[in-house]
C-alpha cells in the first residue's frame, strides 16, 4: 500500500520512471542516473537501500560529476562513485547536518538514516574522528546556541530551550548547568553584569 502511495507522490520535476526506480531500489537504472537528496546533501544510485526520500527533496543527475559539482557527497552505503567514502568526509557531512538541524529531534537513528549508515558504525566512527559521541556533539551545539541566545536576546528560558531543540525546560537547565557550571538564569545574569 505504501509503495503505491509513493508512486503517486511525485513532483513534476522528476520523471515517473526515475521516481519509480528510486522507491523500488531498481538496480537496472544504476549508471543511468543518480539522485541527490537536498536535505542531507547526499547522492545515491537508484538501487540504494536507504530509506526512500521525500520526492520534493530529490534532484536527478545523469553523471556523478554533476552531483559532485553541486556539492553533494556520495552515499557511504551504495558508493555511487565506486569508491569508499573516507570516514572523515562522512563524519564531516554528519556534523554539517547537525549544525543545520540541531533544533530538530536528533537521535543516533535519525543521523544514521540521513547519513546512510548503521547507528553502531556511525557512533563508533564519529567518536573516533571527533573525540565525542554524536549525542555529546549535539548537546555542545545546542548549549553553544543557547549561550548565544542568552547573551543576545531577552527570550525566556523555556523558549530558548525549545529553540535549541530541547522541549523539556528542566532537562535543558540540567544539561546547561552540566556544560557551563551555571543555570541559564545565572549565566544570563553574569553576562548582563559584565
Amino acid at each position: 500500500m505504501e509503495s503505491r502511495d509513493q508512486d503517486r507522490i511525485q513532483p513534476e520535476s522528476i520523471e515517473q520512471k526515475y521516481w519509480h526506480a528510486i522507491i523500488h531500489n531498481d538496480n537496472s537504472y544504476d549508471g543511468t542516473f543518480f539522485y541527490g537528496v537536498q536535505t542531507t546533501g547526499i547522492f545515491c544510485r537508484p538501487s540504494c537501500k536507504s530509506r526512500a526520500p521525500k520526492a520534493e527533496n530529490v534532484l536527478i543527475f545523469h553523471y556523478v560529476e554533476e552531483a559532485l559539482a553541486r556539492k553533494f557527497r556520495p552515499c557511504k552505503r551504495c558508493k555511487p562513485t565506486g569508491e569508499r567514502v573516507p570516514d572523515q568526509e562522512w563524519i564531516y557531512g554528519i556534523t554539517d547536518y547537525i549544525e543545520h538541524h540541531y533544533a530538530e529531534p536528533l537521535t543516533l537513528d535519525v543521523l544514521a538514516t540521513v547519513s546512510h549508515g548503521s547507528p553502531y558504525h556511525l557512533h563508533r566512527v564519529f567518536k573516533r574522528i571527533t573525540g565525542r559521541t554524536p549525542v555529546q556533539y549535539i548537546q555542545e551545539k545546542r548549549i553553544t546556541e543557547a549561550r548565544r541566545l542568552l547573551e543576545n536576546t531577552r527570550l525566556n528560558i523555556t523558549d530558548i530551550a525549545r529553540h535549541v531543540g530541547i522541549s523539556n525546560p528542566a532537562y535543558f537547565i540540567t544539561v546547561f548547568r552540566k556544560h557551563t557550571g551555571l543555570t541559564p538564569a545565572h549565566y544570563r545574569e553574569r553576562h548582563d553584569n559584565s
Side-chain angles (χ1 to χ4, degrees):
M1 182 73 166
E2 184 179 315
S3 71
R4 280 197 190 110
D5 290 342
Q6 285 181 325
D7 281 338
R8 284 190 295 250
I9 301 169
Q10 170 216 334
E12 297 301 317
S13 61
I14 300 177
E15 289 184 40
Q16 181 66 32
K17 66 181 180 180
Y18 294 148
W19 181 241
H20 189 269
I22 292 167
I23 62 171
H24 294 289
N25 311 112
D26 188 341
N27 64 1
S28 69
Y29 281 89
D30 284 358
T32 305
F33 77 94
F34 303 89
Y35 71 93
V37 181
Q38 296 179 84
T39 52
T40 63
I42 294 173
F43 75 100
C44 299
R45 299 173 189 265
S47 64
C48 189
K49 299 294 186 196
S50 297
R51 189 174 71 186
K54 290 184 178 178
E56 64 268 16
N57 296 328
V58 172
L59 294 176
I60 300 297
F61 302 108
H62 293 286
Y63 304 100
V64 165
E65 294 77 15
E66 291 177 86
L68 294 171
R70 294 280 302 270
K71 305 292 186 215
F72 281 82
R73 295 178 312 281
C75 173
K76 194 161 177 84
R77 180 176 287 171
C78 71
K79 301 174 184 74
T81 61
E83 301 170 2
R84 184 175 174 273
V85 176
D87 287 343
Q88 196 152 358
E89 186 179 324
W90 184 49
I91 297 304
Y92 170 76
I94 296 166
T95 58
D96 187 56
Y97 185 84
I98 292 168
E99 292 293 318
H100 292 93
H101 299 271
Y102 66 88
E104 299 170 13
L106 290 180
T107 63
L108 194 55
D109 286 338
V110 167
L111 293 176
T113 298
V114 300
S115 66
H116 299 191
S118 75
Y120 172 77
H121 184 64
L122 166 64
H123 187 274
R124 191 172 51 80
V125 174
F126 195 99
K127 186 163 185 178
R128 180 172 49 81
I129 300 289
T130 68
R132 295 168 284 198
T133 68
V135 170
Q136 290 169 330
Y137 190 93
I138 293 165
Q139 280 189 348
E140 287 173 15
K141 172 61 181 168
R142 288 174 170 166
I143 297 307
T144 298
E145 182 63 17
R147 290 167 81 154
R148 188 188 67 75
L149 292 171
L150 287 164
E151 293 169 12
N152 300 306
T153 73
R154 297 298 346 149
L155 290 172
N156 66 43
I157 305 303
T158 300
D159 288 341
I160 289 174
R162 277 193 215 113
H163 185 80
V164 300
I166 302 175
S167 59
N168 180 328
Y171 179 67
F172 168 69
I173 292 168
T174 301
V175 171
F176 191 91
R177 181 184 287 154
K178 179 182 170 194
H179 282 266
T180 66
L182 300 168
T183 66
H186 285 127
Y187 182 90
R188 176 176 271 162
E189 187 178 295
R190 184 175 280 183
H191 180 75
D192 287 345
N193 293 331
S194 56

